[in-house]
Amino acid sequence: MSILSFEFLFFTAAVWMVYYLLPRRRRWLALLLGSFLFVSCAGWRSVVHLTVVAWNVWLGGLVLEILKRKEADLRSTEGAGRSVKRYETLQKIVLAMLLTFDLGAMAFLKYEPAAAAWLNDLGQGRWSFPVWELAAPLGLSYFTFQSAGWLVDVYRGKAQAQKNPLKMWLFLGYFPQMTQGPISAWKELGGQLFEEHVLEPEVVSGGFLRMLWGYFKKLVIADRLALTTAVLLGEEGLPGWMAVGGAALYMVRLYADFSGGVDVVRGISQMFGIVLPENFRRPFFSESVAEYWRRWHRTLGAWFRSYLLYPFTTSKAGLALGRAASKVFGKMVGRLVPTVVGTFLVFLLIGVWHTANWNAVIYGAYFGFVMAGAILLTPLWKKMNRTFRTPKGGWMRGVRVARTWILVLIPQYFAFTSGPRQGFSLLLQSFSGWDFSGFAKRMTGIMTVREWVIAGIALLVLLAVDVLGERGVDVCGRIAKARVWVRWQVLLALLLGILVLGVYGPEFDGAAFLYTQF
């Protein structure tokens, strides 16, 4: 069931009505039933996989908590040092087994076909690995990361084991976030799912407005700009300005598509009284690549920092790496090396997470090198800024934003192309053929003048909302609190804009959010 379909809208409305008709203590059951039905629409494999994962982490959480309790009891006993260490080791073994099953299942479903095909090509007939083309369950990455993060939090003592397996299933399978995320920790989502929310018209209208805004970004902007990407992939010998412009428009399209989907999800959740974490915070205003990744897909970045980067830098291996680097490069550089290596590995994994091909490896490795280089050069930049008294605002801020755009634009050539050869070819084309003589003909060959005008106006609206957001103005929140006649005029205008200006047609794929497949 696509979240762009009328079936989904009717389904959500039905769950919403049942939710507020039930007694407050039982309202989470409406979310549980709705989530089960939604996942069921994706096929029985999705239900089975999610249920197995939920059962695994629920039972594993109880075991970890029992072991932690035994360890705590022994710590108060004299001469129990050896027993305490035994329980600490048992917890690590249990956690490792649980994470291996949890993350291993996701890795197998996502990467086995590509890995087996690559090994078979490498063997040239000397061996043959089976290629299992198994359909990935709905929301595979999202609920896998949530479940793995929850297990680690229980192990660290930051979350308590859940005694009700149905509540664990709902935490992992909460239907609005199954297609787009965000990746929520238990402290962000778990408690809210079971709170006794009160129906507040202002909150509901604000959520509905946010949902419409997400549909606007997806249907009016992202799907219209999809035509430009199709031209880049379908033609050869494009002029440089067209290659650069097409890659930039793809980057904007991806933002409108992914952030639009998350806005739909957050808006629906808000109507239930549930606040999901913000996944995008106007990334194109970033002054550095590091800031860009703090603003782009924020929950994914937070997950990798919390459960991979920080543990690696403080682990025995990370500390040993730092000591070895200090002997070779000096203490200042040595202290940075574990963070540099961990950062590179994180971005390499983020690239591979997107899809199993060499373009994803290039994408992740590029950002890994840029981020690692920025960390190593941080002391030098600070010294140069102090020496030359580089201004923080004004025109210099614009220069830094432009620099970030250029650095982020380069890997986009590998985000939408089919292979490294096509990506590098398109990137090289960007440096030649800057002849604008056929500009009008080429542009109208992609879209009509009317379509370009609609896209331009819609992008200006998006820019205005993001500029206001940068200045601390929550546009959706302000409108939700406005007078009734103002609020409803905006809602109707947005709804009409989506219905009239949205991209539809015989080839329209209502499920084609770019990040649904992850």
Side-chain angles (χ1 to χ4, degrees):
M1 188 191 306
S2 166
I3 65 173
L4 287 173
S5 64
F6 285 110
E7 290 86 354
F8 176 76
L9 295 177
F10 288 127
F11 169 80
T12 303
V15 175
W16 182 83
M17 286 188 288
V18 173
Y19 181 82
Y20 283 109
L21 286 173
L22 286 175
R24 293 182 187 177
R25 293 179 58 189
R26 305 297 180 191
R27 285 177 177 170
W28 69 273
L29 294 173
L31 296 178
L32 177 66
L33 178 60
S35 299
F36 180 81
L37 293 174
F38 182 76
V39 176
S40 299
C41 290
W44 64 270
R45 289 186 180 88
S46 293
V47 177
V48 171
H49 189 104
L50 178 57
T51 302
V52 170
V53 169
W55 176 268
N56 175 60
V57 298
W58 168 74
L59 193 60
L62 291 175
V63 172
L64 285 172
E65 194 163 86
I66 290 171
L67 293 174
K68 291 188 74 66
R69 196 178 301 122
K70 292 277 189 181
E71 178 196 342
D73 292 341
L74 285 170
R75 284 187 181 279
S76 60
T77 306
E78 293 185 8
R82 186 173 299 177
S83 298
V84 169
K85 289 183 179 179
R86 186 182 304 120
Y87 276 102
E88 288 178 345
T89 303
L90 274 174
Q91 289 175 59
K92 292 178 181 179
I93 293 173
V94 170
L95 179 65
M97 292 174 60
L98 292 169
L99 292 178
T100 299
F101 173 82
D102 198 10
L103 296 172
M106 179 187 73
F108 179 82
L109 289 171
K110 290 188 68 168
Y111 307 117
E112 192 279 336
W118 179 72
L119 289 172
N120 289 338
D121 290 340
L122 192 66
Q124 295 180 345
R126 292 192 297 271
W127 56 71
S128 178
F129 290 93
V131 180
W132 298 89
E133 294 287 353
L134 300 175
L138 179 67
L140 174 63
S141 294
Y142 302 119
F143 69 72
T144 299
F145 283 149
Q146 275 195 195
S147 59
W150 183 82
L151 284 171
V152 174
D153 285 345
V154 172
Y155 170 78
R156 292 173 175 174
K158 295 183 178 181
Q160 291 184 336
Q162 179 54 247
K163 294 180 173 57
N164 189 334
L166 295 179
K167 290 186 176 181
M168 176 54 62
W169 197 100
L170 176 57
F171 168 66
L172 299 180
Y174 176 53
F175 79 92
Q177 66 175 22
M178 287 296 286
T179 58
Q180 297 288 298
I183 302 165
S184 304
W186 179 270
K187 64 181 180 181
E188 296 170 321
L189 176 63
Q192 291 190 81
L193 291 172
F194 313 108
E195 288 178 1
E196 300 176 11
H197 297 288
V198 179
L199 177 60
E200 299 180 44
E202 186 178 291
V203 173
V204 172
S205 63
F208 185 61
L209 179 62
R210 188 176 299 278
M211 184 178 69
L212 288 180
W213 176 236
Y215 282 134
F216 179 86
K217 287 198 283 187
K218 163 63 178 173
L219 294 172
V220 180
I221 299 176
D223 286 358
R224 182 165 274 104
L225 294 181
L227 299 171
T228 62
T229 306
V231 171
L232 288 178
L233 297 176
E235 291 188 24
E236 294 183 0
L238 295 172
W241 60 266
M242 199 169 182
V244 173
L249 286 176
Y250 171 80
M251 190 163 63
V252 175
R253 173 203 170 191
L254 184 62
Y255 170 62
D257 186 289
F258 195 10
S259 67
V262 173
D263 281 336
V264 172
V265 169
R266 294 185 71 220
I268 291 171
S269 293
Q270 187 175 334
M271 290 192 290
F272 288 106
I274 297 169
V275 179
L276 291 178
E278 188 179 14
N279 217 19
F280 292 88
R281 189 171 288 172
R282 301 166 297 279
F284 296 139
F285 291 92
S286 304
E287 297 183 41
S288 66
V289 177
E291 183 184 355
Y292 171 84
W293 277 103
R294 288 194 297 270
R295 290 169 173 253
W296 178 276
H297 207 336
R298 300 173 68 243
T299 57
L300 180 70
W303 192 93
F304 273 100
R305 286 194 300 272
S306 298
Y307 303 114
L308 183 61
L309 178 60
Y310 298 152
F312 173 78
T313 55
T314 56
S315 66
K316 291 181 180 179
L319 295 174
L321 180 63
R323 288 193 294 269
S326 296
K327 294 178 182 179
V328 178
F329 303 107
K331 290 185 178 180
M332 180 178 292
V333 176
R335 285 196 299 266
L336 297 175
V337 167
T339 303
V340 167
V341 174
T343 299
F344 179 81
L345 291 175
V346 162
F347 279 96
L348 188 62
L349 289 173
I350 287 176
V352 175
W353 169 77
H354 281 78
T355 187
N357 60 32
W358 290 111
N359 272 18
V361 174
I362 294 171
Y363 181 91
Y366 171 86
F367 276 116
F369 277 122
V370 171
M371 292 291 289
I375 294 170
L376 284 173
L377 294 173
T378 295
L380 177 62
W381 297 138
K382 288 182 177 179
K383 186 176 181 180
M384 288 179 63
N385 288 333
R386 286 195 301 268
T387 302
F388 296 103
R389 296 181 181 179
T390 307
K392 293 183 178 180
W395 64 271
M396 196 61 194
R397 184 175 189 275
V399 171
R400 287 191 287 264
V401 171
R403 176 197 61 191
T404 304
W405 262 82
I406 295 170
L407 291 173
V408 172
L409 182 64
I410 293 171
Q412 304 308 321
Y413 288 88
F414 302 94
F416 63 86
T417 51
S418 59
R421 180 176 297 178
Q422 187 181 31
F424 281 115
S425 175
L426 197 61
L427 182 59
L428 290 174
Q429 287 180 44
S430 302
F431 297 96
S432 61
W434 282 74
D435 180 9
F436 290 92
S437 58
F439 178 82
K441 184 178 179 180
R442 283 191 174 274
M443 296 298 283
T444 53
I446 301 173
M447 290 192 295
T448 64
V449 175
R450 175 181 176 275
E451 292 295 307
W452 280 115
V453 170
I454 293 172
I457 293 173
L459 286 172
L460 287 174
V461 173
L462 175 61
L463 177 62
V465 172
D466 279 3
V467 168
L468 290 173
E470 277 294 286
R471 296 182 177 182
V473 179
D474 179 8
V475 177
C476 288
R478 288 281 186 91
I479 295 173
K481 295 177 182 178
R483 296 179 182 273
V484 175
W485 65 271
V486 173
R487 184 165 65 243
W488 279 101
Q489 281 194 52
V490 174
L491 288 171
L492 288 174
L494 198 54
L495 182 59
L496 285 173
I498 295 168
L499 294 175
V500 175
L501 303 177
V503 175
Y504 308 97
E507 297 182 1
F508 173 73
D509 182 1
F513 274 97
L514 293 177
Y515 267 75
T516 298
Q517 60 184 307
F518 304 126

